[in-house]
Amino acid sequence: FTRHSGGIYHLSVYDIRGHLVRGFDSSMIGQGNGAVVFDGRGNDGQRLPTGVYFMRLISDDQTYCRKIVLTR
């Protein structure tokens, strides 16, 4: 994705039940073209189980949602 300067972005990862397991805010996301590395750990630092998760990226004017599969 591309982050434009001054924009506020939130990237969240949810489990299959819809519970938030990991969140990233604008301070963790650099400007320009880039990526955020999801290391398979929750907000508490514990390893998440393998399975299906959903990633949601919210910017000032758009929302994206993608299914991701965590494998080990």
Side-chain angles (χ1 to χ4, degrees), residues 3-10 26 57-63:
R3 179 176 180 210
H4 303 287
S5 63
I8 297 174
Y9 289 74
H10 298 281
S26 293
L57 175 66
I58 301 173
S59 68
D60 292 331
D61 59 349
Q62 294 181 342
T63 300

Side-chain angles (χ1 to χ4, degrees), residues 11-22 38 51-57 64-70:
L11 178 66
S12 305
V13 179
Y14 297 89
D15 65 16
I16 196 75
R17 297 171 295 170
H19 296 132
L20 177 68
V21 295
R22 184 73 185 263
F38 172 52
V52 175
Y53 293 86
F54 295 93
M55 180 224 38
R56 183 172 68 174
L57 175 66
Y64 298 96
C65 188
R66 298 286 186 268
K67 179 172 75 170
I68 56 176
V69 178
L70 178 62

Side-chain angles (χ1 to χ4, degrees), residues 26-40:
S26 293
S27 66
M28 302 169 137
I29 304 171
Q31 288 182 297
N33 292 331
V36 173
V37 176
F38 172 52
D39 60 3

Side-chain angles (χ1 to χ4, degrees), residues 39-56:
D39 60 3
R41 297 183 184 276
N43 283 330
D44 61 1
Q46 298 295 314
R47 288 177 62 171
L48 297 169
T50 61
V52 175
Y53 293 86
F54 295 93
M55 180 224 38
R56 183 172 68 174

